[in-house]
């Protein structure tokens, strides 16, 4: 954000707001994914669950990151950074829940471990890419790259959500994702 013309104080405030948003997001997303299926159906809605919550939040993350590529007034940028923190951090947490739902009990720990390892790779590669692009005088591409990653993640988690919805429609009962392995 410093390379985008923001002062050091504002750039540091972005980090704090992003992480505060993450705290709020994880509390809200966890509650939303645990809402009882029967109560939602009685109100005419569809069950949420971790895959659906994660897919929606990844889409909102991609939108928030893309919005950050537009130079907005500082106050609006603070709001977008906070909301992007809400959506990204909670989506990442719900990915672990999605993987555990979709894995057979015998493979669940391995599946969550692989997911965590892949996420750690992203935690190293993302900042590296975020530094390489401005160094190559292509800083604006960072927002596009990270928004694209969020969109791709949303598609894959959305597929998991659709699998859950189809299995529920077939049986008429809420179910976990089909076990693989």
């Amino acid at each position: 954000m410093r390379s985008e013309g923001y002062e050091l104080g504002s750039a540091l405030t972005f980090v704090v707001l992003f992480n505060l948003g993450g705290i709020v997001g994880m509390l809200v997303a966890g509650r939303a994914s645990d809402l009882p299926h029967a109560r939602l159906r009685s109100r005419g809605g569809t069950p949420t669950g971790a895959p659906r919550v994660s897919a929606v939040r990844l889409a909102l993350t991609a939108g928030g990151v893309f919005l950050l590529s537009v130079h907005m007034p500082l106050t609006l940028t603070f709001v977008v950074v906070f909301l992007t923190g809400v959506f990204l951090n909670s989506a990442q947490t719900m990915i672990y829940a999605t993987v555990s739902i979709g894995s057979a009990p015998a493979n669940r720990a391995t599946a969550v471990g692989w997911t965590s390892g892949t996420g750690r790779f992203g935690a190293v590669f993302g900042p590296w890419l975020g530094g390489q692009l401005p160094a190559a005088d292509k800083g604006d591409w960072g927002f596009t790259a990270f928004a694209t990653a969020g969109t791709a993640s949303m598609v894959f988690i959305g597929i998991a959500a659709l699998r859950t919805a189809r299995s529920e429609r077939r049986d008429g009962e809420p179910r976990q994702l089909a076990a693989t392995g």
Side-chain angles (χ1 to χ4, degrees):
M1 295 304 274
R2 288 274 295 140
S3 67
E4 291 297 311
Y6 292 98
E7 297 291 326
L8 179 61
S10 296
L12 293 173
T13 303
F14 293 148
V15 173
V16 171
L17 287 172
F18 182 82
N19 286 300
L20 287 174
I23 294 168
V24 171
M26 285 187 258
L27 294 171
V28 173
R31 180 70 180 131
S33 68
D34 286 340
L35 287 175
H37 293 282
R39 190 171 82 202
L40 285 168
R41 282 210 177 100
S42 69
R43 290 188 295 182
T46 53
T48 49
R52 290 176 187 90
V53 169
S54 188
V56 167
R57 287 176 178 252
L58 283 165
L60 293 169
T61 296
V65 171
F66 187 74
L67 270 176
L68 290 173
S69 69
V70 178
H71 204 60
M72 301 174 282
L74 187 59
T75 304
L76 185 56
T77 304
F78 284 154
V79 171
V80 171
V81 167
F82 177 81
L83 290 175
T84 302
V86 167
F87 301 134
L88 175 62
N89 289 297
S90 60
Q92 289 176 320
T93 303
M94 292 299 104
I95 288 172
Y96 293 120
T98 300
V99 168
S100 70
I101 290 168
S103 302
N107 300 331
R108 193 166 291 144
T110 301
V112 172
W114 271 88
T115 302
S116 180
T118 303
R120 294 300 87 211
F121 171 76
V124 172
F125 181 73
W128 176 83
L129 180 63
Q132 291 299 310
L133 289 170
D137 202 28
K138 300 198 185 290
D140 291 347
W141 282 96
F143 295 110
T144 303
F146 294 123
T148 301
T151 302
S153 299
M154 180 223 33
V155 168
F156 293 123
I157 294 298
I159 291 168
L162 290 173
R163 266 181 72 191
T164 303
R166 277 193 210 118
S167 67
E168 289 173 2
R169 279 195 297 269
R170 246 191 331 262
D171 295 348
E173 290 292 321
R175 283 186 6 184
Q176 290 184 342
L177 295 171
T180 58

